[in-house]
Amino acid sequence: GGERFLAEIETTANLQHPNILPLFDSGQADSFLFYVMPYVEGESLRERLDRERQLPVDEALRIATDVAGALDYAHRRGVIHRDIKPANILLQDGRPLIADFGIALAVSAAGSGRLTETGLSLGTPYYMSPEQATADRDPGPQSDVYSLGCVLYEMLTGEPPFTGSSAQAILGKIVTGDAAAPSSLRSTVPPHVDGVVLTCLAKLPADRFSSAAKMAEALSDPTVRLAVGGVRPPGSSGALRLPERLAWGAAVLACLIALMLVQLGGRDATPGQEVVRTTIQLPDSLPMAFIGDATLGNGRRAFAVSDDGRQLVYAGMKGGTTRLYLRPLDSFEIRELPGTEGAYGPFFSSNGRWIGFFVGNQLRKIRADGGEPVTLAEASNSAGGDWSEDGRIVFADGEGGGIKVVSDQGGSVDNLGARVQEPTDFLWPQWLPGSARVLNTNLIIDVETGAVSGTGGVGDHVAYVPGGYLVEMQFGNLHVARFDVGSGVATSASVPVLGGVRREMAGQGQWDVTGDGTLFYAEGLLSNEGPFTWVRADGTRIHLDLPERARGTFELSPDGRRLATLEVDPTGSHVWVHDLEERRARQVTVEPGASNPLEWSPDGRELLFHRGSVARGRVAYVKSVDAGSDETMVFRDRTDVETVYSWSRAGDLYGVNLESPRGLGVLQGVSGDPTRINSDSTAWGMVISPAGDAVAYTSEATGNYHNFLEPFPPTGERIQISLEGGAEEPRWSEDGRHIYYRNGRRILAVEVTLSPTLSVSRPQVLFEGDF
């Protein structure tokens, strides 16, 4: 097909535009086809994004506008680029030049029907339009508009709208997925730019801009408001901007009215119904308090919304303790509920008149309009509760045997957990319609018989929504699936609808859904979730392009070349290893059900991981990262104890038992007898030094989080590492001479001396980030 290739190149050579790199010549030599373009002093947009990740907003808009103008010029002359991507946009003195114009079309013409027959799509997966992804032979101008929207998205957010571990995974998302608004990843993106980008990324060409010129015009008009596929971009309905400093959700609740349930056909949905977003601003003096038990792995809900969507109750911090605050959503008044000191995990009665909550080891209730709290039952370290229409409360009892039911008038407690026929984690229970069954994570429990069945979902925190839906949380993302209440089984695959939702330990999400499908959620990520980034000592950041599913538990190999992650797919949870240098990934575990923590052996050849849970009894396994090896069981936890592991440089594996209440600090060799260290009952997060001669951990014995260090075996000596409260997550350097730790958004380091006396240097701040 050489002749057809050269014919198309000749057509393209007629394009003369200041933002299009011209073609000087083309031909054939020794059976090779060639074309000639001028040399450009500078770099490609790809190279700049690899170095800086994101561009200033105004510069990104200028580049996109110039490129759109060049595309419009070519489109009006019948030429489609077909491969717009950062590598094909060259920067000369800051001015963008589109390279390889028409090359994809020339290749397609030369290949004739053979390209389509083999299913080959021309283009680059990250920036392909849906019609290219499905091998449409004749993409039009709107295909280039889509690709330019992807490029603009990456310039603003640092990553393309759809990513994946393979080309097939990316193309699948392009065809079926929805991109998050750029402003949800970068708060400084203007509202009109959200609309422009999401319009470019519409699935149907007819729903995009009719021309690249229209796109450029919209980018230059801050007053433009665009509704895309029934979803209005954030900010277009007067929604408040979330300040970046509040991205953790400490003082802001974002509520997304109707979410995307209306588009899935909810009970009150109407075709084309608009999704409306708004923000509820909580006062700085009464921020929301997120509380979790790191030892037990419990996440505790910080807020709840009444079923009719008219009242919000949340746990706020005042005077060093939590209290419940009620906010009617038709006013700005926030009222403290008396007698709720130390409260967590609030939930409303079905009629909205009462609020259930937990304090210490008790389940209590209080009237929403005030009054004195009433104690209903004993409930230790509960992960949540729910109120049925017939006046019963089901709640998880973290230490008392699982899941229980009590009348909202008090009285005898029915231990439903004792009837459950198989080991089960009891977290965030919810009554299903009829009050005869309880939804518990992705399991359904029959109240009378204790029989357990699965919903077919894969999320952690799961909730039923009237109208036949399950909302599932998978790491920081919410997914929705159709759900048949009668059979108790999901009847469709889950569809991602929202990302960036605050998530606590064990998967508890800070979100709630009302009866009409209104979703309330707090923004933010758990500290070990989010995109991966290398940060050098000078603060330089390098973004790692890993799939979204890899944003949970992770562990870096000793040589820093590989990243082990715990990832969830429709089959369950698996351990993956990502080679950061060769940019490839491989699933390590064969059977699903792997769980954290992950731990590399000192030589980087083996990985430790868990199966099971604290409630069922966890088993630790070691497996070679090479394919084909078997899993070897190394330790079985007691059912009331969670164990984390630390591997010394000499290859000795230690288990750190975290007993309830929050760890007694018992450190033991996996096959040896326990050795008690000097920590108190509030210690957690212990890590052994590479040489096995010291242990670092976090404790709140002083009334705030601090990191401590002591020799191992213990000598009776221990010292405090951190100076400021809020310190946690200590980590040893490879040589054992430094301890790194996190305090809020800062990473700090201390130099460690173990002999002749135990000492540490003054903490030094290394860098700050979005941790």
Side-chain angles (χ1 to χ4, degrees):
E3 296 85 358
R4 288 187 295 272
F5 178 89
L6 295 175
E8 289 295 340
I9 287 292
E10 186 174 344
T11 300
T12 304
N14 293 322
L15 296 178
Q16 300 294 323
H17 188 277
N19 295 107
I20 295 178
L21 195 66
L23 290 172
F24 285 162
D25 194 10
S26 61
Q28 187 170 357
D30 294 334
S31 76
F32 288 96
L33 299 169
F34 70 85
Y35 57 95
V36 183
M37 296 181 296
Y39 175 74
V40 174
E41 290 279 359
E43 63 181 346
S44 70
L45 179 59
R46 174 76 278 145
E47 291 170 315
R48 183 168 178 192
L49 287 174
D50 285 344
R51 185 179 69 252
E52 300 180 12
R53 188 185 176 197
Q54 297 170 325
L55 301 188
V57 173
D58 57 348
E59 187 172 1
L61 299 185
R62 178 183 58 78
I63 291 174
T65 301
D66 288 348
V67 172
L71 289 175
D72 181 67
Y73 167 85
H75 293 164
R76 286 185 281 111
R77 286 155 180 79
V79 181
I80 313 299
H81 191 287
R82 298 188 177 204
D83 196 17
I84 291 294
K85 58 185 178 182
N88 278 338
I89 299 175
L90 308 182
L91 302 176
Q92 187 175 46
D93 296 328
R95 178 170 62 94
L97 293 168
I98 305 177
D100 284 0
F101 221 118
I103 302 303
L105 179 60
V107 172
S108 179
S112 188
R114 288 181 290 121
L115 292 174
T116 302
E117 291 166 6
T118 58
L120 174 63
S121 298
L122 289 165
T124 303
Y126 290 116
Y127 313 98
M128 272 188 177
S129 64
E131 53 268 33
Q132 285 180 294
T134 54
D136 190 321
R137 289 191 61 190
D138 297 306
Q142 283 85 0
S143 179
D144 282 351
V145 168
Y146 182 97
S147 299
L148 180 55
C150 293
V151 173
L152 177 55
Y153 193 103
E154 184 171 2
M155 287 192 289
L156 294 170
T157 69
E159 58 185 21
F162 301 106
T163 60
S165 59
S166 66
Q168 290 81 2
I170 298 169
L171 297 180
K173 291 182 181 180
I174 289 172
V175 174
T176 63
D178 290 308
S183 64
S184 68
L185 302 174
R186 185 177 179 182
S187 62
T188 54
V189 174
H192 79 286
V193 176
D194 265 347
V196 171
V197 171
L198 295 179
T199 300
C200 291
L201 299 182
K203 301 302 179 190
L204 297 177
D207 290 336
R208 300 174 205 147
F209 292 102
S210 59
S211 68
K214 293 291 186 182
M215 175 189 175
E217 181 181 341
L219 282 175
S220 63
D221 184 1
T223 65
V224 71
R225 293 295 183 267
L226 298 164
V228 186
V231 180
R232 184 183 291 272
S236 59
S237 61
L240 297 177
R241 282 262 171 217
L242 288 178
E244 186 175 355
R245 67 183 178 86
L246 296 177
W248 299 72
V252 171
L253 262 181
C255 62
L256 177 58
I257 307 303
L259 187 60
M260 295 183 71
L261 299 180
V262 295
Q263 295 184 347
L264 295 175
R267 64 181 184 184
D268 297 323
T270 57
Q273 181 175 344
E274 183 178 292
V275 175
V276 180
R277 294 171 171 85
T278 188
T279 301
I280 301 172
Q281 186 80 34
L282 301 179
D284 291 341
S285 58
L286 292 176
M288 186 175 295
F290 298 114
I291 310 169
D293 192 312
T295 301
L296 297 177
N298 283 353
R300 295 173 173 178
R301 177 174 286 181
F303 75 94
V305 182
S306 60
D307 192 58
D308 59 11
R310 295 182 178 180
Q311 301 177 93
L312 164 72
V313 62
Y314 72 95
M317 187 68 69
K318 181 179 179 181
T321 188
T322 57
R323 306 164 195 261
L324 294 185
Y325 295 89
L326 188 72
R327 159 80 187 272
L329 295 180
D330 58 358
S331 77
F332 292 102
E333 177 190 6
I334 294 180
R335 179 167 51 85
E336 180 181 329
L337 297 179
T340 58
E341 293 82 0
Y344 66 91
F347 57 97
F348 278 93
S349 63
S350 58
N351 59 17
R353 297 176 182 173
W354 290 86
I355 298 169
F357 64 97
F358 302 92
V359 172
N361 296 329
Q362 292 184 338
L363 165 66
R364 299 178 183 177
K365 70 174 184 178
I366 189 172
R367 290 188 62 87
D369 58 6
E372 292 296 321
V374 178
T375 298
L376 300 176
E378 294 295 311
S380 302
N381 291 302
S382 179
D386 192 39
W387 211 308
S388 71
E389 293 184 354
D390 61 3
R392 290 181 295 164
I393 294 176
V394 59
F395 62 96
D397 191 341
E399 295 178 18
I403 193 168
K404 299 180 178 180
V405 178
V406 66
S407 166
D408 60 12
Q409 301 303 308
S412 62
V413 176
D414 178 13
N415 189 352
L416 173 58
R419 293 194 297 279
V420 173
Q421 300 171 3
E422 61 183 74
T424 303
D425 289 329
F426 300 109
L427 301 168
W428 326 299
Q430 179 191 13
W431 292 104
L432 289 176
S435 303
R437 294 173 299 166
V438 171
L439 177 67
N440 176 75
T441 59
N442 252 310
L443 300 174
I444 295 176
I445 303 172
D446 187 290
V447 175
E448 294 298 325
T449 67
V452 177
S453 59
T455 66
V458 297
D460 294 323
H461 180 189
V462 179
Y464 169 74
V465 179
Y469 297 96
L470 282 184
V471 180
E472 304 175 334
M473 188 164 204
Q474 300 179 22
F475 296 106
N477 304 307
L478 292 184
H479 296 238
V480 174
R482 294 186 182 275
F483 179 70
D484 182 74
V485 178
S487 64
V489 176
T491 58
S492 75
S494 61
V495 178
V497 293
L498 184 67
V501 179
R502 167 85 187 200
R503 175 177 175 265
E504 307 301 332
M505 303 297 294
Q508 163 75 62
Q510 297 292 0
W511 54 276
D512 199 8
V513 185
T514 66
D516 65 356
T518 302
L519 174 74
F520 290 75
Y521 66 97
E523 289 198 327
L525 297 173
L526 189 62
S527 58
N528 68 338
E529 291 184 356
F532 289 98
T533 304
W534 279 115
V535 184
R536 294 182 174 138
D538 61 1
T540 303
R541 301 186 184 192
I542 303 174
H543 175 63
L544 297 180
D545 185 17
L546 298 180
E548 283 192 9
R549 68 170 191 270
R551 294 188 174 189
T553 300
F554 65 93
E555 189 73 21
L556 192 65
S557 65
D559 61 8
R561 291 183 51 192
R562 291 168 296 173
L563 194 72
T565 58
L566 186 66
E567 305 177 13
V568 178
D569 62 29
T571 68
S573 55
H574 289 280
V575 177
W576 283 71
V577 170
H578 299 262
D579 191 305
L580 304 180
E581 293 186 353
E582 299 184 10
R583 296 191 176 185
R584 56 185 175 85
R586 187 172 56 79
Q587 183 175 309
V588 173
T589 52
V590 177
E591 296 296 324
S595 61
N596 62 305
L598 304 176
E599 183 74 25
W600 286 89
S601 63
D603 59 11
R605 296 179 179 179
E606 295 179 305
L607 272 170
L608 180 142
F609 60 93
H610 268 96
R611 293 190 184 279
S613 64
V614 176
R616 304 178 188 182
R618 300 194 317 168
V619 178
Y621 292 87
V622 169
K623 188 179 189 300
S624 169
V625 295
D626 297 324
S629 64
D630 294 329
E631 300 174 358
T632 302
M633 188 186 78
V634 295
F635 194 71
R636 183 182 295 276
D637 294 358
R638 292 180 8 220
T639 55
D640 61 340
V641 173
E642 180 179 4
T643 305
V644 297
Y645 291 88
S646 194
W647 226 314
S648 75
R649 190 167 50 204
D652 296 322
L653 183 61
Y654 293 89
V656 182
N657 280 354
L658 305 176
E659 299 183 353
S660 55
R662 179 173 281 169
L664 295 177
V666 178
L667 181 68
Q668 64 179 32
V670 171
S671 59
D673 295 327
T675 302
R676 186 175 301 274
I677 66 172
N678 299 314
S679 71
D680 46 72
S681 61
T682 65
W684 75 97
M686 304 177 196
V687 285
I688 193 76
S689 66
D693 55 0
V695 62
Y697 55 87
T698 306
S699 170
E700 58 179 354
T702 62
N704 208 331
Y705 292 3
H706 278 288
N707 291 329
F708 290 86
L709 172 70
E710 62 180 83
F712 184 79
T715 63
E717 182 183 12
R718 79 166 180 172
I719 60 173
Q720 183 173 308
I721 299 171
S722 52
L723 298 181
E724 298 177 346
E728 53 187 330
E729 299 179 33
R731 297 289 185 270
W732 289 90
S733 64
E734 186 67 19
D735 59 9
R737 297 176 57 189
H738 293 84
I739 293 177
Y740 305 99
Y741 66 91
R742 182 175 71 85
N743 192 321
R745 295 164 57 90
R746 299 179 300 164
I747 297 295
L748 300 93
V750 295
E751 188 172 356
V752 178
T753 301
L754 298 179
S755 62
T757 58
L758 192 67
S759 65
V760 296
S761 66
R762 186 177 181 84
Q764 177 183 355
V765 176
L766 299 182
F767 51 81
E768 295 189 15
D770 299 326
F771 306 114

